[in-house]
Amino acid sequence: MAAYVSPIADSATIFKDGLFNGKVLFCTGGGSGICKGMTEAVMHHGANATIVGRKLDRLIASADELAKATGRQCLAVRGDVREPEQLKDAVAKTIEKFGRIDFVICGAAGNFLAPISGLSEKGFKTVIDIDTIGTYNTIKATLPYVRQSKGSYIHVSATLHYKATPYQIHVSAAKAAVDAVSAVLAVEEGPWGIRSNVIAPGPIAGTEGAERLTTKGHDGDGWAQLPVGRLGHIKDIANATVFLFSDAASFITGQVLVVDGGSEHLRSVGLPYPQAMLDPASVQNMIKPRL
Ligand code: COA
């Protein structure tokens, strides 16, 4: 019997048109991958957006693409999240063009596979600087405007630090800190009308992150054995983004939303999955008799 495969939904068919009309999104790392998909979904529902990244050519091409796809305006600003002044400049340009900031996605991140023995102190610090310090710099640059709009933050984190993940000490430390930063932001700024949540994506197909973290010869088939029967799609993260920024999530703050098809909860006992769930009789010969 074949396992169920969950459908990939499009936020445009679920959430109402114009949900974010008049709103403005500020997204770091929005030039590609997951963050670009998150930005597109928010723009589809009516928001204008600024995307910030280090590669201006890619950023401008993405901004054009996003504007054409959504009919909204998208501003591309070159900026490195490790540089507070560059973020402040990007925020100033956003205010000059759009007059406000309602939503912020702290998405810029760096990653690669390396064991402690092959990771220099600078390599470790580089990822902390991009992911953790970059998130803090983004919050500092945007907060005065997000206070004015009583807006909302989403931080893109990960699930790998919930368990010890080899070759990921730098990102584990950086993302654990991002989760902590978001929770404190939620508590300190909640009384000002601001919400802050984390989205922790699981394995998402076709992203730079997945490309960087997949080992050679690993074609991704193993990931199909998830409770939902498939790898994640960028739309899965985009849908969670629209929900968390919407008023439907107005009672949700300081939380981590894991969007991973249930993979984090899957503990193997060495039996084939999902065969052991679908046809218990077929694995009986693998189970030791009762003592
Ligand atoms: N293994 C071990 N160390 C590595 C490495 C790898 N694969 N890649 C980079 N480093 C180390 C470098 O050796 C350097 O340390 P050193 O001078 O002591 O040797 C340090 O990290 C900084 O590298 P550098 O290339 O100068 O940094 P950068 O600012 O140009 O790039 C990175 C930042 C390293 C995070 C780069 O991978 C990047 O730009 N990533 C952005 C995109 C991305 O990662 N997307 C996926 C998101 S999930």
Side-chain angles (χ1 to χ4, degrees), residues 250-286:
S250 63
F251 200 52
I252 300 175
T253 193
Q255 294 303 310
V256 176
L257 180 57
V258 176
V259 186
D260 74 339
S263 60
E264 193 53 37
H265 289 300
L266 185 59
R267 295 286 182 275
S268 172
V269 288
L271 293 168
Y273 185 93
Q275 188 192 337
M277 270 35 76
L278 296 172
D279 185 8
S282 72
V283 299
Q284 273 311 305
N285 63 348
M286 299 176 71

Side-chain angles (χ1 to χ4, degrees), residues 34-48:
I34 288 176
C35 297
K36 185 178 169 193
M38 295 165 85
T39 300
E40 182 170 355
V42 175
M43 290 176 70
H44 257 303
H45 289 282
N48 293 319

Side-chain angles (χ1 to χ4, degrees), residues 36-117:
K36 185 178 169 193
M38 295 165 85
T39 300
E40 182 170 355
V42 175
M43 290 176 70
H44 257 303
H45 289 282
N48 293 319
T50 294
I51 54 175
V52 181
R54 283 186 293 163
K55 295 175 187 157
L56 190 59
D57 288 355
R58 183 169 77 174
L59 218 52
I60 289 172
S62 293
D64 286 349
E65 208 184 300
L66 289 169
K68 282 194 188 102
T70 63
R72 311 307 301 181
Q73 296 182 66
C74 188
L75 178 66
V77 183
R78 199 209 159 273
D80 187 327
V81 291
R82 292 170 286 192
E83 302 296 336
E85 292 312 316
Q86 293 183 18
L87 278 170
K88 285 177 189 153
D89 174 59
V91 166
K93 290 186 167 123
T94 303
I95 296 301
E96 192 184 329
K97 184 164 180 65
F98 299 126
R100 58 189 292 143
I101 296 173
D102 301 87
F103 305 133
V104 179
I105 295 173
C106 297
N111 203 352
F112 48 80
L113 288 172
I116 298 168
S117 57

Side-chain angles (χ1 to χ4, degrees), residues 162-266:
Y162 303 163
K163 288 183 267 185
T165 305
Y167 285 62
Q168 288 283 270
I169 194 166
H170 42 327
V171 183
S172 299
K175 295 301 194 186
V178 166
D179 293 358
V181 163
S182 174
V184 176
L185 178 64
V187 170
E188 283 198 10
E189 293 296 322
W192 290 91
I194 293 175
R195 292 186 299 112
S196 172
N197 290 292
V198 166
I199 290 179
I204 307 297
T207 59
E208 188 180 347
E211 186 56 36
R212 281 170 176 262
L213 302 180
T214 307
T215 50
K216 279 184 195 163
H218 180 102
D219 58 9
D221 281 355
W223 292 114
Q225 298 174 338
L226 297 179
V228 299
R230 64 170 173 85
L231 269 173
H233 190 281
I234 287 177
K235 282 182 194 273
D236 294 311
I237 308 302
N239 294 337
T241 303
V242 174
F243 166 66
L244 281 178
F245 278 150
S246 79
D247 285 346
S250 63
F251 200 52
I252 300 175
T253 193
Q255 294 303 310
V256 176
L257 180 57
V258 176
V259 186
D260 74 339
S263 60
E264 193 53 37
H265 289 300
L266 185 59

